[in-house]
Amino acid sequence: MRLSRLARAGVAVVSLAVALTACGSRDEGSGSLVDKAKNDKKLTIGIKFDQPGLGLQTPGGAYEGFDVEVAKYIAKELGVDANNITWKQTPSSQREDMIANGQVDFIVATYSITDKRKQKVDFAGPYFIAHQDLLVRADDKSITGPDSLSGKKLCSVQGSTSAQKVKDKFPQVQLQNVKGYSECLTGLESGAIDALTTDDTILAGYAAQQPGKFKLVGKGFSDEKYGVGLKKGDTKGRDAINAAIQKMETDGSWKTAADKYFGPSGYTVPAPPAITEK
Amino acid sequence: MFDFLSKYDVLGAFWVTVQLTLYAALGSLIWGTILAGFRVSPVPLLRAFGTAYINIVRNTPLTLIIVGTLLGLSQTLGVTMGTNVLDSQNFRLATLGLIAYTSTFVCESIRSGINTVPVGQAEAARALGLGFGQVLGVIVLPQAFRSVIAPLASVLIALTKNTTVASAIGVAEASFVMNNMIENESDKLFLVFGVVALGFVVLTLPTGLILGWVAKKVAVKR
């Protein structure tokens, strides 16, 4: 059978694409991350770079936040020094793929454990349970919880689970979607927006950044279980991370870190959650 | 495989994209033509304004302009665009931002079209006693427009794709729905991208083909 020139070109393009994809997803050794940490003494960990209190890149290039503390503790338990950690930014939409093709060893980035995500990655933890909450101006007394939202203007990040939940649960609320949470703050300050909504951990970070301006309402209306995401099937890695989280929770460093990053905003740090992903 | 699409209003989102494109195209065609008039006018002040406007707005990232309409114009200065409903307010702000941005490209296209009209035409018109407005409106612009249909089509296609930036201030167009789908259907990332990309190709490919045909049809044969 003679192929036309166009068809041949098409075949060439497709096979090239397949070859490239195959390169992209090549397996970086099928071993567990525990072995990798033991042999190389190095780890690549995915975090958020833009969330105060959780994972934030400081102007100096250092990283701080609760997620970062948890990641460092796990790395220490696996035998890797904090200086040998390569931090990588893992935006929400890319987390599953970055784990699957080995760009990061594990992810500690406000990564909520959901069934859909479990199809692609394994989770350890949870190491924290956050709740969707509201951040309002410090002098605003009209919003006391999810029940007093009628006719109010809320702000959240487009595409996020929090934004979608508001739309489903409170149809009488007007929702302003923006690209990043910090863009909500301008409107919140000027009064164009009444409340910013997302996980209370993130809100606490913003409240602590500008003390006295905003306050957390403190009536959470959902549970987000933050887990550590790792490659699917790495049971050994998951057990090791679970043990590390367990140790962090019992030896007091969990509470120290939580108080340090969430405390200043008046956020009451809950008790550490029980580990369920076994 | 594609059953997840029924959970989202993909068609409705693309309809918003089309609306944004049409309103912004109409607005920027008008404002762009006026700007082109400024840039070739005999009044130095208008020329200076046109040049300054174009060089500033054209070189500002669109995201900055769109987010600026929300944070600056609406939330800080309190411009409500004649509505209290957030969704329509955002839509109008985005249209305004797109017009402000796209009109600079429209203006420069038209100005290049004006340059294709032989100087003799304008000179002859002036010799007949026509004023600047008449020379531009009756003699030069009609010929200029006929030669810039193809570049304007490129601007229109660019505008169609630029509407995705409107999601930055929460206008529920195609890329907004795409972000929702990516968040919920993380296992179908490439499928989601594919569907949205296909939607845009369906919008822009005919635009280019039809306007390319029109351009050939109406071009001034010199």
Side-chain angles (χ1 to χ4, degrees):
Chain A
M1 187 181 78
R2 265 180 65 89
L3 287 170
S4 74
R5 189 176 289 186
L6 188 68
R8 268 184 288 170
V11 169
V13 168
V14 168
S15 50
L16 189 66
V18 168
L20 284 176
T21 339
C23 285
S25 61
R26 77 172 187 285
D27 210 310
E28 310 253 325
S30 54
S32 163
L33 67 90
V34 180
D35 303 325
K36 197 193 159 198
K38 206 189 276 170
N39 298 334
D40 302 353
K41 300 274 168 220
K42 268 189 281 189
L43 278 174
T44 309
I45 305 176
I47 51 167
K48 293 266 176 84
F49 278 15
D50 55 356
Q51 282 181 348
L54 288 156
L56 184 73
Q57 189 176 33
T58 61
Y63 301 95
E64 58 170 41
F66 186 70
D67 282 347
V68 176
E69 295 290 326
V70 172
K72 276 185 190 162
Y73 196 95
I74 294 170
K76 195 184 84 192
E77 290 300 306
L78 296 174
V80 175
D81 191 66
N83 295 325
N84 292 330
I85 301 173
T86 314
W87 302 104
K88 220 169 203 167
Q89 187 173 22
T90 44
S92 298
S93 56
Q94 295 169 26
R95 289 182 295 206
E96 288 83 19
D97 287 318
M98 289 180 80
I99 291 178
N101 61 28
Q103 289 182 58
V104 290
D105 293 314
F106 62 87
I107 286 183
V108 194
T110 65
Y111 205 177
S112 303
I113 302 172
T114 65
D115 290 337
K116 205 132 212 166
R117 288 172 181 161
K118 272 197 227 169
Q119 291 172 9
K120 278 201 144 184
V121 297
D122 271 354
F123 282 102
Y127 59 90
F128 201 91
I129 296 184
H131 313 280
Q132 183 168 359
D133 206 334
L134 301 158
L135 186 75
V136 296
R137 285 181 295 279
D139 56 357
D140 189 339
K141 290 190 177 62
S142 63
I143 299 179
T144 51
D147 312 322
S148 53
L149 282 179
S150 199
K152 298 287 183 187
K153 287 178 179 168
L154 260 61
C155 186
S156 195
V157 163
Q158 52 137 329
S160 66
T161 327
S162 328
Q164 298 184 32
K165 209 168 276 166
V166 166
K167 253 198 158 150
D168 296 341
K169 271 190 162 175
F170 311 107
Q172 75 280 20
V173 163
Q174 293 201 57
L175 182 65
Q176 170 73 58
N177 286 287
V178 289
K179 266 258 175 341
Y181 294 112
S182 36
E183 283 161 27
C184 288
L185 296 179
T186 323
L188 187 56
E189 223 181 322
S190 74
I193 297 292
D194 298 310
L196 161 56
T197 180
T198 183
D199 296 358
D200 48 7
T201 45
I202 299 172
L203 295 177
Y206 284 113
Q209 226 177 16
Q210 304 183 41
K213 262 193 190 158
F214 309 115
K215 66 171 183 202
L216 262 172
V217 170
K219 294 240 173 70
F221 46 92
S222 78
D223 285 343
E224 303 290 340
K225 293 182 191 153
Y226 289 172
V228 177
L230 68 159
K231 198 169 230 173
K232 189 142 185 72
D234 187 359
T235 327
K236 200 172 162 194
R238 184 174 66 191
D239 292 346
I241 292 176
N242 275 338
I245 296 172
Q246 193 74 58
K247 194 171 167 202
M248 186 176 183
E249 288 174 356
T250 45
D251 77 356
S253 10
W254 187 92
K255 184 145 176 42
T256 318
D259 282 339
K260 181 176 168 198
Y261 289 107
F262 304 138
S265 59
Y267 173 80
T268 22
V269 177
I275 285 168
T276 54
E277 300 299 314
K278 284 174 188 160
Chain B
M1 186 176 172
F2 286 96
D3 49 350
F4 70 94
L5 283 177
S6 58
K7 278 187 279 175
Y8 303 92
D9 190 12
V10 180
L11 280 183
F14 269 105
W15 174 233
V16 175
T17 297
V18 170
Q19 280 177 304
L20 263 182
T21 310
L22 288 183
Y23 286 126
L26 203 67
S28 51
L29 189 65
I30 295 168
W31 180 225
T33 311
I34 295 172
L35 279 174
F38 282 1
R39 289 211 70 177
V40 297
S41 85
V43 184
L45 192 66
L46 287 183
R47 276 208 305 276
F49 170 79
T51 313
Y53 178 90
I54 288 189
N55 280 315
I56 292 170
V57 177
R58 186 176 56 180
N59 295 314
T60 308
L62 180 58
T63 314
L64 214 63
I65 296 176
I66 300 277
V67 174
T69 59
L70 177 73
L71 297 188
L73 209 58
S74 168
Q75 296 191 341
T76 309
L77 297 178
V79 178
T80 56
M81 303 298 285
T83 170
N84 269 327
V85 186
L86 267 186
D87 285 345
S88 36
Q89 183 185 322
N90 290 338
F91 180 86
R92 291 176 198 184
L93 286 170
T95 312
L96 188 73
L98 285 169
I99 290 175
Y101 180 78
T102 314
S103 58
T104 63
F105 296 95
V106 171
C107 165
E108 290 301 87
S109 291
I110 293 175
R111 204 161 65 93
S112 76
I114 290 174
N115 288 336
T116 66
V117 181
V119 192
Q121 299 266 336
E123 284 169 349
R126 268 204 299 277
L128 287 174
L130 302 184
F132 172 73
Q134 286 170 308
V135 175
L136 194 67
V138 184
I139 308 293
V140 178
L141 273 184
Q143 300 185 65
F145 264 113
R146 289 170 61 176
S147 62
V148 294
I149 301 288
L152 283 182
S154 293
V155 173
L156 182 61
I157 289 173
L159 169 66
T160 312
K161 296 184 290 181
N162 281 345
T163 55
T164 51
V165 178
S167 71
I169 60 168
V171 179
E173 43 70 59
S175 77
F176 185 87
V177 170
M178 182 181 81
N179 284 338
N180 279 354
M181 289 196 277
I182 288 175
E183 175 83 9
N184 300 341
E185 320 286 335
S186 46
D187 47 334
K188 301 191 185 74
L189 192 63
F190 292 104
L191 206 59
V192 170
F193 273 131
V195 167
V196 175
L198 185 76
F200 273 98
V201 171
V202 167
L203 286 182
T204 52
L205 207 59
T207 313
L209 290 177
I210 293 171
L211 286 180
W213 176 78
V214 172
K216 254 189 215 143
K217 195 92 177 151
V218 302
V220 185
K221 305 278 188 306
R222 292 192 210 280

